[in-house]
Amino acid sequence: MLVLGIESSCDETAAAVLAEGRRVLSSVVASQDAIHAPYGGVVPELASRRHLEVIVPVVQQALEDAAVRLPDLDGIAVTQGPGLVGSLLVGCAVAKSLAYVHRKPLVGVNHLEGHIYAAFLTDDPPAHPFLALVVSGGHTALYHARAPLAYALVGQTRDDAAGEAFDKVAKLLGLGFPGGPIIERTARTGDPKAITFPLAHMTDRAPDFSFSGVKTSVSLYVKRAAPLSAQQVADIAASFQAAIVKMLVRKTVKASLRLGVKRLVLTGGVAANGPLRAALAAAAAEHGLTLHVPPPRLCTDNAAMITAAGTDRLAAGERAALTLNALPDMALAV
Ligand code: KG4
Ligand code: ZN
């Protein structure tokens, strides 16, 4: 089964072709980082416009790299949500047009399910049931993947997403965009124990996350300590990163022990973070849990993960009508 997948939910325009939903024949990702960098965050209108410019060449490149022609395809998958509406609309319109003209089955994919499916594109895919920590620029949530295509929401952020916190703190420190990779690099020369940023505690003991408190403490600290030396910036980056990692690891391990789930998946853009990968691996080993983490290029937004999820949904008989619409708040589970 050959499927073309299209992803345009945020600021990456991506297309991929997969065989049987697991073999990546091509995966093209056109990043818009340079466009949004001057603003320190994604500017929705600029994102939509850039998607519109590059999406057809990106799809062409994915087909060419895979040596596949549109008539050869068995289906088309597209990210339907969640994400920026203007961005999603571009991918949906292109996917629908191709499906209509070439009479191909179409399926809408949840972007977060896509992130989880990145784990199935490795040599060591997880068996169900497993607990997935999806940490990205727009989302931070724990999903219990009980069986293929069946998810329950275990916990989520009550305010900012973890990636959003990385991006905002990087902006506060004048480091640039996107913040995650820059904070990680800056933190290497810093002391993670230099400053103790307070971790949020849920008074109702829910397995939810909260990152706005840490972000605010960093902001207050920066204001008090300004002007900052390079070493202070590195120490803040390292201490902030350590706080985020600690909260993510603590909540994830706790939830898996409570649910009795033995396997963990770590995915989403923030899962590219080295210290997070290492800390969750150590905690998992300590508690006898198996951890599956896709390589960084599959953790950040790409279309291979969308195509993998879409292929399984097409194989299960799912079909989207040509009236398919973008769902900016699309939920994966409740
Ligand atoms: O999954 P993703 O590519 O897009 C969304 O669906 O949001 O995630 C992007 C987020 C950004 O906030 C970025 O700063 C963060 O992932 N990120 C990282 C790293 N690489 C990307 N955060 C921490 N460390 C990284 N190495
Ligand atoms: Zn994403």
Side-chain angles (χ1 to χ4, degrees), residues 56-333:
V56 172
V58 163
V59 168
Q60 275 176 326
Q61 189 67 51
L63 291 167
E64 200 175 296
D65 289 356
V68 164
R69 295 169 318 124
L70 284 164
D72 304 333
L73 294 172
D74 297 298
I76 295 174
V78 64
T79 304
Q80 189 176 6
L84 300 170
V85 69
S87 289
L88 291 163
L89 287 172
V90 176
C92 288
V94 169
K96 286 165 65 164
S97 308
L98 293 176
Y100 172 57
V101 173
H102 294 275
R103 297 173 192 274
K104 301 296 180 188
L106 174 70
V107 70
V109 173
N110 184 299
H111 181 80
L112 304 175
E113 182 175 46
H115 274 305
I116 294 172
Y117 261 83
F120 292 105
L121 296 177
T122 67
D123 296 336
D124 176 34
H128 292 85
F130 59 84
L131 184 69
L133 172 63
V134 183
V135 262
S136 73
H139 297 86
T140 298
L142 278 169
Y143 292 101
H144 184 189
R146 286 175 281 128
L149 310 178
Y151 309 90
L153 179 64
V154 174
Q156 62 186 325
T157 182
R158 295 199 178 169
D159 37 62
D160 293 350
E164 197 179 350
F166 270 98
D167 294 340
K168 287 178 178 168
V169 166
K171 197 173 176 178
L172 272 173
L173 295 174
L175 293 173
F177 173 86
I182 311 177
I183 295 264
E184 180 175 357
R185 224 176 310 123
T186 309
R188 283 190 198 128
T189 51
D191 175 6
K193 295 201 167 77
I195 309 146
T196 309
F197 292 120
L199 297 184
H201 284 282
M202 298 300 145
T203 46
D204 54 4
R205 309 176 119 240
D208 283 344
F209 305 97
S210 165
F211 301 104
S212 70
V214 184
K215 184 193 64 192
T216 307
S217 339
V218 174
S219 162
L220 291 173
Y221 188 92
V222 168
K223 276 198 194 103
R224 267 200 312 267
L228 301 172
S229 67
Q231 188 56 51
Q232 275 175 307
V233 170
D235 286 346
I236 294 169
S239 302
F240 160 75
Q241 179 174 257
I244 300 280
V245 165
K246 199 166 176 181
M247 181 168 347
L248 290 170
V249 169
R250 190 192 280 172
K251 297 268 177 186
T252 303
V253 169
K254 225 172 172 179
S256 76
L257 296 176
R258 187 173 55 82
L259 291 165
V261 179
K262 289 287 185 198
R263 286 169 291 268
L264 299 176
V265 165
L266 170 63
T267 188
V270 181
N273 186 271
L276 172 60
R277 297 164 77 93
L280 193 56
E286 188 188 325
H287 291 92
L289 308 166
T290 317
L291 175 65
H292 302 261
V293 196
R297 78 191 143 75
L298 287 173
C299 287
T300 49
D301 283 353
N302 65 86
M305 66 187 198
I306 301 301
T307 317
T311 302
D312 279 15
R313 292 206 167 261
L314 285 168
E318 211 174 292
R319 298 289 182 270
L322 288 175
T323 50
L324 171 126
N325 204 343
L327 298 174
D329 298 318
M330 189 180 191
L332 177 58

